[in-house]
Amino acid sequence: MPEPSPLLAGASIIDITPPAGLMMSGYAARTQPATGSHDALTARAIVVGDTAIVVADVIGLHEESCARIRSRCALPDDRVAVIATHTHGGPVSMAGRGGTAFDADFLTRLEDGCVEAIDRAVAAQRPAVLSAGLGDNPGIAFNRRHDGGVIDPTLPVLRIDGVDGKPIAILTAHACHPVVLAAYNRQYTADFPHYVREALEAASPGIIAVFLTGCAGDISTGHSPHSSISTVPTADRTYAEAERLGRRIAASASTARLRPLAGGVAATATAVTLDLERNETAPLPVLAAEWRAKAAESDPAWATLYECWADWAGTVALRPAAPWTGKVTVLDWAGVRLSFLPGEMFAQSALNVRGDTARVHFVNSFADGVPGYIPPASEYPFGGYEVLEAHRYYGLPAAFAEGSAERLEAAAIELNTRLDRATGSSGT
């Protein structure tokens, strides 16, 4: 029988960095606009066959933006995933989310950049060979809710080269919030993912490096969410530290033992509807008054947060807590799986979706909509920022109901099972 034709693959990078002066997203304590750019914000696409991922250096993309990007690009809607790195060093990137005003011109630039990245990658496709493996845990990630708590130590690596030996792309991932740079930083930056990509591209000239942030809702480099409610610089939240951590990830990816892959391309997707549930028990006017009183007696950073909550109580919180619908997508690239889920999901969800199979499996949230944190049910009794508070900054009328993460996990597991049947894969 004739040898199967090689897969076609391409990659591209589009600069989406806006001019200085836009409000930034990620920290309620940061109330001043960006002064400039430390490193370029980009949209990076990898296309394999008729499937694609595009990853943008923003805190998140609204699901409506993602739908427009998928509908405008050159590939079928249900075979494309639109993902954010979740950097806290970019402009506000979601209308109505992020606690401050958005710039319509930047949202247009963001969507246009993602579409252009996909379409350029499609145009750049050429016969390719894929190889994949797992890097060692770089040791940078910690559970920020529980000392010694669950993390996802996995560091999957996928490399794509032309059949002529010239590099095309390298994709790697590690679950960790890109929040080395804190609220004092007013320069646009991709945070440590910038240094991951820079190091990988320097090691293989001509390659395009793409980084995914995994399911990092409860994972950071060692600090809590509340420690970010400050504009005072600290020694562990600098560009030098972001570079150190990024280069550790790149080193793990570079030394991964990769095996050649054979097979085709497959994709499947489904919509999942999640319920919202109000966890505030006091009347909203009472809460607003309490938060404004706290703002009056707090330092400026905390005062900003309390004012944000008080504004939420008088506006967004008055809307009906209608169900929210998101998209789960699973791709198969020659036996490597890529599962994409919306929102900020926790490390345990990634472990649950991946299961105990031996395949290389990227499990990533921040995809096709980032409406807020979606914790597993086991975390609700512990409360905390992600469970009880973050929906106010995100602009939701209520938090996601307990059991939402499990619905998304079940959908991803079912889609993976469906692809197993379609491809004849057992995951081993």
Side-chain angles (χ1 to χ4, degrees), residues 51-76:
T51 67
I53 65 171
V54 61
V55 185
D57 290 326
V58 290
I59 196 165
L61 290 96
H62 197 286
E63 53 276 10
E64 294 177 0
S65 286
C66 296
R68 286 191 291 269
I69 291 164
R70 296 194 310 269
S71 69
R72 291 174 54 202
C73 76
L75 297 175

Side-chain angles (χ1 to χ4, degrees), residues 13 44 46 135 155-161 167-174 192-212 243 245-256 258 362:
I13 304 174
R44 295 167 181 249
I46 298 176
L155 197 147
V157 182
L158 173 69
R159 184 179 172 109
I160 306 174
D161 294 283
I168 295 175
I170 184 168
L171 174 67
T172 192
H174 191 59
F192 73 76
H194 161 67
Y195 294 103
V196 178
R197 301 180 312 215
E198 182 181 68
L200 291 174
E201 290 173 349
S204 186
I207 207 164
I208 290 177
V210 179
F211 180 79
L212 295 170
E243 180 175 11
L245 299 180
R247 291 189 179 278
R248 285 182 66 169
I249 294 173
S252 293
S254 295
T255 55
L258 307 184
F362 293 80

Side-chain angles (χ1 to χ4, degrees), residues 166-190:
K166 294 181 180 179
I168 295 175
I170 184 168
L171 174 67
T172 192
H174 191 59
C176 185
H177 249 78
V179 289
V180 178
L181 280 302
Y184 74 87
N185 173 62
R186 291 172 57 196
Q187 291 182 297
Y188 300 132
T189 177

Side-chain angles (χ1 to χ4, degrees), residues 293-369:
K294 286 184 177 182
E297 59 188 25
S298 298
D299 66 63
W302 276 94
T304 300
L305 180 66
Y306 287 130
E307 288 290 352
C308 173
W309 290 0
D311 290 343
W312 169 87
T315 55
V316 176
L318 302 177
R319 301 199 311 250
W324 180 88
T325 299
K327 177 174 177 276
V328 177
T329 302
V330 179
L331 308 179
D332 187 292
W333 288 351
V336 168
R337 284 292 162 81
L338 303 97
S339 295
F340 295 104
L341 305 99
E344 295 199 49
M345 299 194 69
F346 284 27
Q348 186 61 57
S349 290
L351 300 179
N352 292 345
V353 171
R354 189 177 293 114
D356 58 2
T357 61
R359 69 161 59 100
V360 175
H361 192 165
F362 293 80
V363 184
N364 204 82
S365 56
F366 310 108
D368 289 305

Side-chain angles (χ1 to χ4, degrees), residues 215-239:
C215 293
D218 56 343
I219 307 298
S220 75
T221 57
H223 47 267
S224 70
H226 282 172
S227 71
S228 294
I229 307 173
S230 171
T231 55
V232 179
T234 59
D236 63 337
R237 303 188 75 172
T238 62
Y239 282 102

